[in-house]
Amino acid sequence: MALPNYASPLERIWHYTYLVICALIFLFLIAPILVVIPLSFNAEPYFTFTPKMLALDPEGYSLRWYDKLLTFGMIDPDAPRDLAWWADVWENSKWVNAAKNSFIIGIFATILATGFGTLAALGLSRPEMPFRRAIMAILISPMIVPIIITATGLFFFYSKIQISHWGIPYLGIILAHATLGIPFVIITVTATLVGFDHSLNRAAANLGADPRTTFFRVTMPLILPGVISGALFAFVTSFDEVVVVLFVGALDEQTIPRQMWNGIREQISPAILAVATILVIVSIALLTTVELLRRRSERLRGVSPR
Amino acid sequence: MTKELPADPHVAVVATAGGVEDGPLTMADGTSLKSAMARAQFRARLRAFLLVLPLLAFVVITFIMPIGELLKRSVYSPNFHDNMPNLVAWFAKHPPGTEPDESAYAALVADLRLLKKTKKAGLVGTRVNYELPGSRSLFTKGARKAKKLEPPYREALLKLDPKWGDPALWQVMRAAASPYTMNFYLAALDLKRDPSGKIVPVEENRRIYKMLFARTLALSLLITFLTLILAYPIAHLLATLPLSKSNLLMILVLLPFWTSLLVRTTSWMVLLQSQGVINDALVALGIIGDDGRIQMMYNKTGTVIAMTHILLPFMVLPLYSVMRTINPSYVRAARNLGATSWTAFRRIYFPQTVPGIGAGALLVFILAVGYYITPALVGGSDGTLISNLIAFHIQKSLNWSLAAALAALLLTGILILYWLYDKLVGIDNLKLG
């Protein structure tokens, strides 16, 4: 927004003040996320910049907290770092195990949410869908209802149906996380379908394709970017979720957020910041992917960015 | 949906090709066009519905039913009813207001002996304890000693502990004899029944829930207001910059949105600690002394700052999408007609952004009211919200029915706001990034 040339001096001053204010707000948004990155390389067990760090002295920085992530919970962390040591990490390190659990839960929850969610979004975006508004409201509600209420309800419900005795590990958490991810899939996929040209489907049918072929060869490639964005949203939701895990997870069902939660509540150490840094990098990667997908989708559908 | 378009345009074509000129239109095979169309439309609607059905069933099972279970819990507390059969039978036989006689005490002692055998004295005592604090030990002690008690039971029990003769205790036991009760809702609103059964407020020093609801509302309003103040300028900047630049700046809004909630909360803990980055910077700059470090965490300040940061993107995105559609020539026209830049903003620009403000404020408020994680970690004792108390009752005090009642009250408020959001903004307009 360029300043018009009829602006008075007062308006010019205000314009630059306004830009400074905006810069400060952007700083407020981004600084707290970036500040953990240098701090996670702290050589000392403090949460602030030591004088050595400020002087950019290499001695002030170290990878000890990242190392701690690997060794925490190991049987013999001081053994020589050969294959047996790495096997020990893979088997016993608490953070590595938490990461494994998080990925297992996240992947299955994402598959459930994306599969059901995409199918439902296809139905919801048809003009002849009955009770569209009410059903949409129900399907989006897991995002709106406070997580504590959902977790409390699941806590009662799962203890009533005794889901922990069914013998399927993580089942309760996976189902809950899938439910929490569904609204994101619905929102992103229906948004993609809004710009979808239905005459393409009719053209495919006209050329002799059966409904299944039409779906997989015509519809699916076009809405795929939206589906992948939704899946990523669902995965992040599960990967970041802690309250349901705390309420309904068994003791050995540790996930990364739960491990972080315990770490923050009990003895907060810069190892938490090392995890946080890794998660920030993961979220930067995800954001980039989603943004690229969005542009690809717009290009595919011939919608020029507004 | 009442769109009366034929689902299949071919139907109409077939009908006209049938060559019927007078009377009701029919299909080639003689059925009337109207019913054929109704059938086709029904099939189309069914097809759409069947696509949604699996997900709907899934959400009903994994979400709606648990919420139902929670609502049931809030009025259902069967521990006393299930474990005190004799006394429950006595209450059923004698109408409210009956003075407990020897037969009542005999039933009570029989039940206490039963409790000793089933080892459920703690559960029953806890249930009574919810409404009459200090009576849990009465039941555990009573169950322990019940074997030695001899008739007349009334005297024997009163000798054991005179509290057994307390009319309030008998009134609570009568209420607890029914597995269904509204008393947890009363407790959640700082109310109770006095001995005569009237609903009265609890003692001044025991009122906590109303205060917490009020604090939750006040803090949520404050946070909504702060996010609005912070989001408005940057949303305006993003909406007026050329797209290539605003897309870059948008990353600064979307990155926090994509970053783990726990990570953002941890960052604020790092920044706000009394030995943290902000305090260190202030000391280094000489603004405060080393002994005057500001306490910004484990209190309301911490909750407000961290939650404002976390919810800010939810305000920026709706504001941005509304501001993007505002035609800049209106403001230019106003300036052309002699308005100062302030008047042009106040009279022309601002009114057009009101829908975005409404959408963002409602969304942020809904999310803030139910927030749990951030207040639990940075809130300390005076920065906690109603959600934290629900978690406390589930995990620590184990008063699950009270937790359920509190959750149900919170849920009611949220659903009203959600309905309002759907009415004013429409859920379809919810966008992510």
Side-chain angles (χ1 to χ4, degrees):
Chain A
M1 46 175 271
L3 207 56
N5 46 14
Y6 50 79
S8 66
L10 201 65
E11 280 173 5
R12 276 170 206 282
I13 295 171
W14 164 244
H15 178 73
Y16 291 112
T17 325
Y18 167 72
L19 290 183
V20 171
I21 291 172
C22 284
L24 288 176
I25 297 171
F26 280 119
L27 187 72
F28 172 74
L29 265 171
I30 208 73
I33 292 168
L34 298 184
V35 79
V36 295
I37 296 177
L39 283 175
S40 70
F41 295 100
N42 201 337
E44 308 289 330
Y46 303 134
F47 288 99
T48 187
F49 293 95
T50 54
K52 273 188 180 168
M53 291 182 89
L54 291 175
L56 292 178
D57 183 345
E59 270 178 39
Y61 295 87
S62 86
L63 287 171
R64 63 182 279 204
W65 304 112
Y66 291 87
D67 197 55
K68 179 108 179 183
L69 291 186
L70 290 179
T71 55
F72 184 56
M74 272 175 71
I75 294 171
D76 188 9
D78 299 323
R81 305 208 160 183
D82 51 14
L83 221 57
W85 187 86
W86 283 104
D88 192 7
V89 169
W90 182 251
E91 280 301 313
N92 297 311
S93 165
K94 289 207 168 162
W95 284 103
V96 173
N97 276 320
K100 281 194 257 178
N101 287 344
S102 277
F103 273 103
I104 293 171
I105 293 169
I107 287 169
F108 281 103
T110 307
I111 291 172
L112 280 177
T114 316
F116 284 134
T118 307
L119 211 58
L122 286 169
L124 283 170
S125 60
R126 293 193 175 193
E128 62 267 18
M129 176 69 202
F131 314 114
R132 185 168 180 281
R133 216 180 161 112
I135 289 176
M136 191 86 169
I138 292 174
L139 296 180
I140 303 291
S141 60
M143 194 172 93
I144 298 292
V145 170
I147 187 72
I148 192 86
I149 294 181
T150 314
T152 309
L154 286 168
F155 174 73
F156 293 140
F157 186 63
Y158 285 168
S159 63
K160 186 182 167 190
I161 63 171
Q162 305 242 314
I163 203 166
S164 53
H165 296 306
W166 294 8
I168 308 173
Y170 313 116
L171 180 65
I173 300 179
I174 289 173
L175 292 180
H177 282 186
T179 312
L180 293 174
I182 281 165
F184 297 98
V185 178
I186 297 270
I187 290 171
T188 47
V189 180
T190 43
T192 319
L193 283 167
V194 163
F196 186 77
D197 186 354
H198 285 280
S199 51
L200 293 174
N201 280 349
R202 283 200 283 276
N206 202 357
L207 292 169
D210 59 31
R212 184 182 304 170
T213 316
T214 312
F215 177 74
F216 283 108
R217 301 281 297 275
V218 177
T219 316
M220 199 59 193
L222 282 170
I223 63 167
L224 197 60
V227 174
I228 296 177
S229 300
L232 288 176
F233 264 111
F235 184 76
V236 167
T237 310
S238 163
F239 205 71
D240 190 24
E241 205 289 323
V242 62
V243 185
V244 169
V245 181
L246 282 174
F247 272 50
V248 306
L251 274 180
D252 58 332
E253 294 178 348
Q254 287 287 354
T255 61
I256 290 182
R258 189 177 187 179
Q259 189 86 16
M260 274 185 88
W261 172 270
N262 291 339
I264 296 169
R265 297 216 107 181
E266 287 151 20
Q267 180 60 54
I268 179 161
S269 89
I272 298 284
L273 301 187
V275 183
T277 304
I278 295 173
L279 291 182
V280 168
I281 290 166
V282 169
S283 53
I284 290 175
L286 287 174
L287 174 61
T288 317
T289 317
V290 170
E291 190 59 24
L292 291 177
L293 283 171
R294 196 176 60 82
R295 293 195 183 165
R296 181 182 151 75
S297 155
E298 275 168 357
R299 220 178 33 244
L300 273 179
R301 285 158 34 201
V303 185
S304 59
R306 270 172 298 133
Chain B
M1 299 312 290
T2 50
K3 256 188 191 160
E4 289 301 328
L5 285 171
D8 184 359
H10 303 295
V11 175
V13 176
V14 174
T16 35
V20 182
E21 279 148 21
D22 294 318
L25 292 171
T26 54
M27 301 274 292
D29 60 358
T31 51
S32 88
L33 176 63
K34 208 172 162 190
S35 70
M37 252 174 63
R39 241 194 346 264
Q41 255 182 39
F42 175 76
R43 271 203 304 274
R45 288 167 64 121
L46 190 69
R47 254 202 311 272
F49 187 71
L50 284 179
L51 283 173
V52 182
L53 191 64
L55 183 70
L56 195 62
F58 185 82
V59 169
V60 165
I61 293 172
T62 59
F63 186 71
I64 306 292
M65 275 164 69
I67 299 279
E69 188 64 27
L70 174 129
L71 295 179
K72 185 185 156 201
R73 276 281 176 167
S74 67
V75 291
Y76 182 71
S77 181
N79 277 346
F80 191 95
H81 175 264
D82 289 354
N83 295 309
M84 303 280 279
N86 296 304
L87 201 57
V88 168
W90 188 88
F91 281 131
K93 237 181 279 161
H94 299 78
T98 319
E99 196 66 21
D101 54 10
E102 179 60 22
S103 66
Y105 282 94
L108 177 58
V109 170
D111 280 337
L112 285 175
R113 283 177 185 155
L114 198 67
L115 288 182
K116 168 83 178 157
K117 221 184 290 164
T118 54
K119 300 196 172 69
K120 295 274 175 67
L123 283 179
V124 172
T126 309
R127 169 70 185 88
V128 176
N129 202 54
Y130 292 153
E131 292 175 48
L132 198 69
S135 38
R136 187 176 184 273
S137 59
L138 207 60
F139 281 84
T140 48
K141 204 172 105 189
R144 219 165 39 238
K145 302 259 172 80
K147 214 172 172 187
K148 293 196 197 104
L149 295 176
E150 279 173 26
Y153 290 121
R154 191 180 134 80
E155 276 70 34
L157 266 178
L158 289 186
K159 217 175 99 195
L160 194 65
D161 197 323
K163 269 199 243 161
W164 282 113
D166 185 359
L169 175 72
W170 282 88
Q171 198 224 334
V172 167
M173 287 201 295
R174 181 182 280 281
S178 157
Y180 292 95
T181 171
M182 289 303 284
N183 284 3
F184 293 108
Y185 280 97
L186 293 182
L189 292 167
D190 286 336
L191 299 170
K192 64 169 186 181
R193 285 180 206 276
D194 67 356
S196 63
K198 262 207 332 245
I199 295 170
V200 292
V202 298
E203 298 81 20
E204 197 91 31
N205 57 355
R206 305 185 63 94
R207 287 180 204 165
I208 46 173
Y209 301 115
K210 264 191 191 158
M211 190 271 286
L212 254 172
F213 273 114
R215 182 203 285 164
T216 306
L217 284 183
L219 285 189
S220 301
L221 280 175
L222 177 64
I223 289 161
T224 310
F225 179 72
L226 287 176
T227 52
L228 177 62
I229 297 286
L230 292 177
Y232 203 93
I234 59 172
H236 178 246
L237 185 73
L238 287 170
T240 45
L241 278 178
L243 205 69
S244 55
K245 279 185 195 165
S246 80
N247 264 348
L248 273 179
L249 280 177
M250 202 57 169
I251 292 174
L252 300 183
V253 178
L254 289 178
L255 183 60
F257 188 71
W258 274 90
T259 306
S260 159
L261 189 62
L262 277 169
V263 169
R264 284 180 279 170
T265 309
T266 315
S267 313
W268 278 110
M269 293 176 81
V270 168
L271 287 171
L272 298 177
Q273 276 182 10
S274 53
Q275 299 295 326
V277 175
I278 292 180
N279 265 317
D280 273 5
L282 289 177
V283 170
L285 291 171
I287 295 172
I288 54 171
D290 200 22
D291 49 351
R293 286 170 180 268
I294 309 167
Q295 180 72 35
M296 288 180 287
M297 209 167 77
Y298 303 127
N299 55 23
K300 272 183 205 166
T301 322
T303 306
V304 171
I305 294 177
M307 280 179 68
T308 304
H309 174 253
I310 288 167
L311 294 173
L312 192 50
F314 291 97
M315 184 67 98
V316 175
L317 295 176
L319 271 178
Y320 168 77
S321 65
V322 167
M323 284 177 177
R324 191 98 238 177
T325 62
I326 293 174
N327 191 339
S329 44
Y330 293 150
V331 170
R332 266 184 248 136
R335 295 300 307 275
N336 199 0
L337 293 168
T340 61
S341 55
W342 167 241
T343 314
F345 170 77
R346 191 170 53 89
R347 298 278 299 274
I348 307 296
Y349 192 77
F350 182 77
Q352 296 184 77
T353 62
V354 167
I357 295 177
L362 216 47
L363 189 61
V364 169
F365 188 76
I366 289 175
L367 294 175
V369 165
Y371 234 64
Y372 169 67
I373 293 172
T374 308
L377 290 176
V378 299
S381 63
D382 78 332
T384 50
L385 306 179
I386 199 75
S387 291
N388 303 95
L389 205 72
I390 296 172
F392 168 79
H393 280 309
I394 290 282
Q395 295 175 317
K396 300 276 165 59
S397 85
L398 304 184
N399 192 347
W400 292 350
S401 290
L402 181 57
L406 287 169
L409 289 175
L410 178 62
L411 181 65
T412 314
I414 297 275
L415 288 184
I416 292 172
L417 289 171
Y418 183 40
W419 174 82
L420 203 67
Y421 185 89
D422 190 26
K423 273 260 150 322
L424 297 179
V425 188
I427 317 166
D428 306 25
N429 298 332
L430 215 57
K431 284 203 191 74
L432 305 162

